[in-house]
């Protein structure tokens, strides 16, 4: 169990405190409820751009990393389609430095044109290196818009087009910041060698003076149910053929999410999974094959992907996957096989919670999902999954009419 207490400042900032006095360390995790799904279709990649801009200095802090290094601290951040998350680890005696830094960039981020140009260049280079000039790097740039036609999950966190970052103006950047990087759209989790009263005092001092932002109204399009098989075939200069199969599934808060998550584990987590045992080890069609879920807040994707061995073509490989899926749906799942993946999932969660930073992140994410208590209910939800609920998930999700398939062919 992760113990926590929470309070809300007058400006709407949610503050969560998790005390752990086992070592003289503290973590500060600031989650902003903004991701790629909040962007406009003609201005994508802004949430990820801000992940970089937030390290470009603020009104009273020209260099974010430097003062943190002086006090023995470390920091980083990540962006997804749903959230942007910043985190700092410091010796607990220097906790106030983290409060000073995070509050200053929430209150008064530097809008120096030079900073924008530098970070714009960094993001453009990242787009080129990771997505355009790397084997299979553009797979999700192709697969997302194949699977999604209405919902903003149809573009990647990096953005739909590199031009959207190249053409971003200072006015665009300021508008995005003032809309989403406000206290009432964030949750601050402080964990470690701290006390509730200490965090209340620091929060009042550093964050309470920051004005509340305008209420955010999200009108995110709902993706219509997919009713037809979708196929995209591409040929690129890559080492071997690769297959990507994406199926629409439940969102993170839906009742069926954990059944679908465990279904992906049964089919494609590790070398003992169904897909690996049959199509990699036995039939040797693939040299690697896995299944996983995206874990998105809104209805997400269940993915099967793998790279082929030279003797097989993509059409044959895909049919082999379909045969295995149909056989699975028509057979009986043994309770023992389900228990095995439950145990794996539970052990992963337990080991993850051994790290202070992971606990802080999980608390922030649970609050974003709508209920802090969810942080202590994951194991219970996994344990509650039944053989019947997994089989229902398989029959509901793994159908041809719900599939978006990318055949990624290597040039001969």
């Amino acid at each position: 169990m992760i113990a926590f207490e929470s309070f809300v400042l007058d400006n709407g900032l949610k503050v969560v405190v998790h005390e752990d006095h086992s070592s003289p360390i503290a973590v500060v995790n600031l989650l902003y409820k903004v991701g790629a799904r909040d962007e406009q279709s003609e201005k994508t990649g802004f949430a990820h751009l801000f992940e970089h801009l937030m390290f470009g200095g603020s009104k009273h802090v020209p260099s974010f990393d430097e003062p943190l290094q002086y006090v023995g601290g470390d920091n980083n951040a990540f962006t997804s389609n749903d959230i942007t998350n910043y985190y700092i680890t410091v010796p607990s005696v220097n906790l106030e430095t983290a409060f000073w830094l995070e509050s200053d960039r929430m209150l008064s981020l530097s809008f120096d044109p030079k900073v924008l140009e530098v970070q714009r260049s960094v993001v453009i280079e990242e787009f080129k290196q990771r997505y355009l000039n790397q084997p299979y790097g553009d797979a999700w740039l192709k697969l997302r818009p194949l699977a999604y036609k209405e919902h903003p999950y149809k573009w990647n966190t990096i953005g739909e087009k590199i031009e959207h970052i190249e053409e971003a103006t200072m006015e665009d950047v300021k508008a995005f910041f003032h809309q989403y990087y406000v206290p009432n759209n964030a949750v601050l989790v402080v964990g470690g060698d701290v006390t509730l009263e200490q965090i209340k005092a620091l929060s009042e001092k550093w964050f309470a003076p920051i004005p509340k932002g305008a209420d955010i109204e999200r009108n995110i399009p709902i993706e219509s149910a997919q009713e037809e098989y979708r196929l995209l075939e591409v040929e690129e200069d890559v080492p071997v053929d690769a297959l990507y199969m994406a199926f629409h599934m439940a969102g993170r808060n839906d009742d069926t999410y954990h059944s679908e998550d465990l279904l992906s584990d049964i089919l494609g987590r590790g070398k003992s999974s169904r897909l690996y045992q049959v199509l990699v080890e036995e039939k040797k069609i693939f040299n690697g094959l896995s299944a996983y879920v995206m874990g998105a807040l809104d209805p997400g994707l269940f993915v099967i992907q793998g790279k082929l061995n030279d003797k097989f073509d993509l059409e044959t490989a895909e049919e082999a996957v379909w045969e295995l899926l149909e056989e699975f749906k028509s057979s009986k799942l043994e309770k023992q096989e389900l228990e095995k993946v439950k145990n794996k999932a539970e052990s992963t969660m337990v080991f993850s919670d051994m790290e202070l930073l992971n606990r802080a992140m999980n608390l922030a994410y649970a609050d974003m999902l709508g209920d802090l208590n969810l942080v202590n209910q994951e194991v219970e939800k996994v344990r509650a999954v039944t053989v019947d609920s997994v089989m229902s998930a398989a029959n509901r999700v793994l159908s041809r009419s719900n599939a978006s398939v990318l055949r990624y062919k290597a040039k001969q």
Side-chain angles (χ1 to χ4, degrees), residues 112-289:
D112 185 338
K114 293 180 181 177
V115 172
L116 175 58
E117 290 313 308
V118 168
Q119 298 305 328
R120 186 205 308 273
S121 298
V122 170
V123 172
I124 290 172
E125 189 61 28
E126 180 182 347
F127 200 122
K128 291 177 180 177
Q129 284 189 1
R130 292 184 58 191
Y131 296 87
L132 302 183
N133 299 329
Q134 182 171 289
Y136 316 102
D138 63 347
W140 280 99
L141 296 179
K142 302 177 185 298
L143 191 53
R144 279 188 177 275
L146 184 65
Y148 289 101
K149 301 303 179 183
E150 295 141 21
H151 194 285
Y153 284 164
K154 64 185 176 183
W155 56 78
N156 271 31
T157 305
I158 193 73
E160 183 180 39
K161 301 176 182 176
I162 202 168
E163 291 82 7
H164 290 176
I165 300 302
E166 291 174 336
E167 297 167 4
T169 67
M170 183 60 77
E171 289 70 27
D172 293 333
V173 168
K174 286 183 177 180
F176 195 81
F177 177 81
H178 291 304
Q179 182 174 7
Y180 294 109
Y181 290 79
V182 291
N184 46 303
N185 194 46
V187 54
L188 175 69
V189 179
V190 186
D193 189 24
V194 302
T195 66
L196 177 62
E197 292 308 313
Q198 175 192 16
I199 303 310
K200 282 183 176 180
L202 288 173
S203 299
E204 285 292 338
K205 177 180 178 180
W206 291 105
F207 284 97
I210 301 175
K212 180 180 180 179
D215 291 337
I216 297 171
E217 292 186 13
R218 288 181 168 86
N219 296 305
I220 297 174
I222 298 173
E223 186 71 16
S224 300
Q226 184 172 331
E227 297 179 346
E228 77 289 328
Y229 171 85
R230 297 171 185 167
L231 174 65
L232 176 63
E233 296 179 293
V234 299
E235 189 172 344
E236 301 288 350
D237 188 14
V238 294
V240 297
D241 293 352
L243 178 69
Y244 300 80
M245 304 173 70
F247 304 82
H248 291 279
M249 60 165 287
R252 191 62 179 75
N253 275 329
D254 293 338
D255 292 340
T256 61
Y257 173 82
H258 291 87
S259 295
E260 293 165 16
D261 188 16
L262 289 180
L263 170 64
S264 75
D265 291 347
I266 292 168
L267 290 174
R269 180 180 179 179
K271 294 185 177 181
S272 64
S273 64
R274 296 283 189 105
L275 288 166
Y276 195 94
Q277 281 292 307
V278 175
L279 301 182
V280 178
E281 292 285 355
E282 182 184 327
K283 297 185 178 180
K284 302 189 185 305
I285 297 174
F286 293 84
N287 60 57
L289 188 61

Side-chain angles (χ1 to χ4, degrees), residues 85-103:
N85 195 74
Y86 300 86
Y87 52 95
I88 295 174
T89 302
V90 289
S92 53
V93 294
N94 297 325
L95 176 61
E96 190 161 8
T97 300
F99 270 76
W100 165 55
L101 292 170
E102 286 292 8
S103 64

Side-chain angles (χ1 to χ4, degrees), residues 55 61 63-76 87-91 94-95 97-101:
F55 291 98
V61 187
S63 172
F64 189 87
D65 290 336
E66 192 173 311
L68 196 57
Q69 290 167 356
Y70 281 139
V71 299
D74 190 22
N75 75 102
N76 214 325
Y87 52 95
I88 295 174
T89 302
V90 289
N94 297 325
L95 176 61
T97 300
F99 270 76
W100 165 55
L101 292 170

Side-chain angles (χ1 to χ4, degrees), residues 306-341:
K307 293 183 175 66
L308 277 64
N309 285 318
D310 290 339
K311 295 179 180 179
F312 297 91
D313 61 67
L314 282 162
E315 186 174 356
T316 300
E318 183 187 340
E319 279 308 309
V321 174
W322 282 116
E323 286 177 16
L324 187 147
L325 296 181
E326 291 304 321
E327 182 181 342
F328 177 82
K329 289 191 291 184
S330 63
S331 64
K332 180 182 178 182
L333 174 63
E334 295 296 332
K335 188 175 182 181
Q336 184 179 359
E337 187 174 7
L338 176 58
E339 287 302 314
K340 183 185 73 173
V341 296

Side-chain angles (χ1 to χ4, degrees), residues 45-62:
F46 274 54
H48 176 254
L49 175 62
F50 262 95
E51 178 194 321
H52 291 261
L53 288 175
M54 291 284 273
F55 291 98
S58 50
K59 185 175 182 181
H60 303 104
V61 187

